[in-house]
Amino acid sequence: MKKTILIFALLISAISFANKAEAQNVSININVNQQPAWGPIGYDYVGYYYFPDIDCYYNVNAGMFYYFDRGYWVPSRYLPYAYSNYDLYGLYKVVLNVRDPWIYNHNHRRSYVRYKGYRNQVVIRDSRDNRYRDSRHNNVVWYSSNKKENHSERPNNNRNNVSRPNTNRPETNRPVYNNTNKRSDKVNIAENKSGNDNNKRREQNKTHSGYNKSDDSSGRNSGRGR
């Protein structure tokens, strides 16, 4: 009897654990409510979208775009203003559930180039599926109306060339000039020049006064001789 009760208790524990694990798995693998209204229908979970037309990525869970600029994949809440000419509701989106998909960008550009210009993908906004009743109103804006506004955000690491270098960081290779030394050098040059001018004037005065003395002495001597 005790053995039967023990087996029954273990069975209940196993079932409870399995249900809990399944519930956690479902909660992790469903993010329909976070998907933007311009996302394609048919996916309970989306990690990233890839846009073949503009060669960019969008992280659904983080709400961040990734675009390539000056050798780095830049994370940003918005795409640069130059992308405002594109309509994400019309562009084709490839669903990717891999980590850091830009690592495989070369393969993505080659594999999904055939979807460039494809405009028949149904998006969540136009769906009548009850699953999308909330995400249907996720009108995620993909560019800022302010041309000068910068929305880029650097992640905590620079792995795989994500984000551009910090342009506000001082350049260690740039020579440092001391303004105090510049002023002191100018003062020294001015003083040296002034001293040289004074020396020249003294020499001229000495020479001139010497000529006068010789002339006077010669005049006196000639008068006495007479």
Side-chain angles (χ1 to χ4, degrees), residues 142-200:
W142 57 92
Y143 70 94
S144 173
S145 58
N146 188 344
K147 297 180 181 180
K148 297 181 180 180
E149 192 172 359
N150 182 16
H151 295 273
S152 62
E153 299 181 6
R154 297 193 64 188
N156 294 328
N157 56 38
N158 292 326
R159 186 182 58 194
N160 303 318
N161 288 341
V162 177
S163 86
R164 71 184 66 176
N166 187 357
T167 56
N168 295 325
R169 184 169 51 194
E171 298 179 9
T172 55
N173 296 328
R174 179 180 295 177
V176 178
Y177 298 99
N178 192 328
N179 293 331
T180 305
N181 293 336
K182 282 186 176 181
R183 288 194 295 269
S184 61
D185 292 341
K186 290 181 179 180
V187 171
N188 292 334
I189 292 172
E191 289 178 351
N192 292 335
K193 184 176 180 181
S194 176
N196 293 334
D197 293 340
N198 292 334
N199 291 334
K200 286 182 181 180

Side-chain angles (χ1 to χ4, degrees), residues 18-149:
N19 290 336
K20 184 177 180 181
E22 184 179 358
Q24 290 178 347
N25 188 50
V26 169
S27 64
I28 292 173
N29 293 328
I30 291 180
N31 63 351
V32 174
N33 292 337
Q34 292 178 264
Q35 297 175 28
W38 40 259
I41 63 171
Y43 300 91
D44 292 332
Y45 179 83
V46 175
Y48 289 86
Y49 294 126
Y50 173 66
F51 307 91
D53 288 87
I54 56 179
D55 195 25
C56 297
Y57 298 90
Y58 179 73
N59 186 330
V60 174
N61 294 314
M64 298 284 288
F65 289 94
Y66 291 81
Y67 63 93
F68 194 74
D69 182 44
R70 302 177 188 178
Y72 291 85
W73 284 99
V74 182
S76 177
R77 292 291 176 187
Y78 303 99
L79 292 171
Y81 185 78
Y83 290 81
S84 62
N85 294 326
Y86 296 96
D87 182 8
L88 296 195
Y89 285 95
L91 296 185
Y92 189 87
K93 277 77 62 176
V94 178
V95 174
L96 301 173
N97 291 323
V98 296
R99 184 176 181 180
D100 301 339
W102 47 84
I103 298 175
Y104 315 101
N105 179 253
H106 178 72
N107 293 332
H108 295 160
R109 286 189 288 112
R110 182 179 57 188
S111 300
Y112 304 120
V113 65
R114 64 183 182 273
Y115 292 112
K116 282 187 175 182
Y118 188 84
R119 298 292 183 269
N120 295 328
Q121 192 176 40
V122 181
V123 296
I124 291 174
R125 180 194 61 183
D126 302 330
S127 173
R128 295 296 174 263
D129 192 328
N130 195 44
R131 289 182 301 170
Y132 305 114
R133 63 181 181 275
D134 295 326
S135 56
R136 194 179 295 126
H137 304 289
N138 291 343
N139 297 317
V140 178
V141 179
W142 57 92
Y143 70 94
S144 173
S145 58
N146 188 344
K147 297 180 181 180
K148 297 181 180 180
E149 192 172 359

